[in-house]
Amino acid sequence: MSPHVHGGDSVQKNMYGVCIALLPALVASLWFFGVGAAIVLATSMAACVFFEWAITRFILGRNTLTVCDGSAVLTGILLGFNLPGNLPVWIIIIGALIAIGVGKMTFGGLGQNPFNPALVGRVFLLISFPVQMTTWPAVNATDATTAATPLSIMQEAITSGDASVLSKLPSLQDMFLGATGGSLGEVSALCLLVGCLFMLWRKIITWHIPVSILGTVAVLSAILHASNPVYAVPTQVLCSGGLMLGACYMATDYVTSPMTGKGQLIYGVCIGFLTVIIRNWGAYPEGMSFAILIMNAFTPLINTYCKPKRFGEEAVKK
């Protein structure tokens, strides 16, 4: 009704839009990791949808089910992208239960969760099952062969103080295209960027968070490399680990990120800063998940600080 204008957006449309954007990376993960990737992704998506349906129906007692809005499917894809392709099925199911049951439905469901559900599930599994979560299958391996990831090689160089260790890194082309070990969502920076451009074109997300995260990481990595060659060059850092996945698809989550452009820039810069700190001096090679969850907690404060002025508001004279 006038004077309101409806843009045609909906939760379902945007959720499935992100799923479509993830399709190139999904295909790449299947190409590089084969059947293992298919099992992990299928299990993660099915388990997330099931747990959301079961909790909504039998615990919350709601007649209106939300499993068709796309949010559970998206959580399943993102959780699967944060897992290695050789992870046992029972661990994946536990991760899905934590992601949906604790990270999302405990707070009331979509729109009320303060933390990204997929990352809640991923971090829980990383802390609970560190060996299984850090054992990576080699790309295109037909057996149980494991391989070092670019992030583990970078951490080895920093720990040993030997810059020659970085020579073990895959070529920049392989890292950009995805022929490296790691989680399923680390396979191809190119595919993730293609999906990000699709979301920008569809106006599902804005540029503020991805650009501020990637820009901050690039600048800090350049400073570190210039000060000491044991730190990798910015291009290698940007194409390694879950940086692209986190910056484009997880940090941009509507519910857990700031609402204003200014707030999103602050949020993104802080995530980039924390990611570099944790990656280089933390206990785990990857810091993206922890950085996003930490800043999820600060989102209400950022929203308060960046609150826009209300129309028609008059300044109070003292």
Side-chain angles (χ1 to χ4, degrees):
M1 182 179 291
S2 178
H4 304 290
V5 177
H6 298 275
D9 274 348
S10 66
V11 171
Q12 188 175 31
K13 182 178 179 180
N14 286 334
M15 291 297 168
Y16 284 116
V18 179
C19 292
I20 293 171
L22 285 166
L23 283 179
L26 190 150
V27 172
S29 69
L30 295 176
W31 174 263
F32 288 116
F33 294 108
V35 176
I39 293 173
V40 169
L41 289 168
T43 302
S44 180
M45 285 187 284
C48 284
V49 171
F50 170 77
F51 285 127
E52 178 155 331
W53 170 79
I55 292 171
T56 303
R57 180 69 179 85
F58 297 108
I59 297 180
L60 299 181
R62 297 176 182 172
N63 293 324
T64 303
L65 300 179
T66 59
V67 292
C68 295
D69 65 10
S71 62
V73 174
L74 179 57
T75 298
I77 296 175
L78 291 176
L79 176 62
F81 271 24
N82 278 276
L83 304 177
N86 55 358
L87 196 66
V89 169
W90 63 273
I91 295 182
I92 302 170
I93 294 173
I94 292 175
L97 175 60
I98 297 299
I100 297 296
V102 176
K104 182 179 179 183
M105 303 309 292
T106 294
F107 298 96
L110 182 65
Q112 302 178 67
N113 52 288
F115 301 101
N116 185 288
L119 288 180
V120 171
R122 194 254 182 184
V123 170
F124 175 85
L125 293 182
L126 184 61
I127 295 172
S128 303
F129 308 99
V131 176
Q132 294 92 331
M133 285 290 290
T134 54
T135 302
W136 315 102
V139 173
N140 293 325
T142 56
D143 52 22
T145 304
T146 59
T149 65
L151 285 180
S152 63
I153 295 172
M154 292 177 189
Q155 190 177 58
E156 181 185 350
I158 296 170
T159 303
S160 65
D162 183 5
S164 65
V165 173
L166 294 176
S167 63
K168 300 178 185 178
L169 285 172
S171 67
L172 183 59
Q173 177 179 329
D174 283 344
M175 294 176 68
F176 186 65
L177 296 179
T180 61
S183 297
L184 300 183
E186 300 176 15
V187 292
S188 176
L190 173 61
C191 291
L192 293 169
L193 286 174
V194 168
C196 183
L197 291 175
F198 170 79
M199 290 192 295
L200 289 170
W201 172 65
R202 287 282 304 272
K203 297 182 179 179
I204 296 172
I205 64 171
T206 61
W207 61 269
H208 302 79
I209 292 176
V211 170
S212 58
I213 292 176
L214 298 177
T216 300
V217 171
V219 170
L220 293 178
S221 298
I223 294 173
L224 289 173
H225 179 72
S227 65
N228 193 330
V230 299
Y231 299 103
V233 298
T235 49
Q236 292 174 323
V237 174
L238 289 174
C239 293
S240 63
L243 184 63
M244 291 290 180
L245 178 67
C248 299
Y249 299 92
M250 307 193 81
T252 54
D253 175 37
Y254 292 150
V255 181
T256 59
S257 61
M259 295 182 290
T260 64
K262 178 182 176 182
Q264 290 173 0
L265 290 174
I266 295 173
Y267 174 79
V269 169
C270 291
I271 289 175
F273 176 79
L274 288 172
T275 299
V276 172
I277 294 297
I278 298 172
R279 276 188 172 190
N280 292 312
W281 297 287
Y284 292 101
E286 178 62 272
M288 194 66 189
S289 299
F290 295 100
I292 294 175
L293 288 175
I294 290 170
M295 291 312 300
N296 285 168
F298 281 93
T299 292
L301 288 177
I302 296 174
N303 282 333
T304 300
Y305 175 70
C306 299
K307 193 178 204 180
K309 183 178 178 181
R310 288 179 293 179
F311 290 110
E313 181 179 0
E314 296 182 2
V316 177
K317 296 181 180 179
K318 296 185 178 178

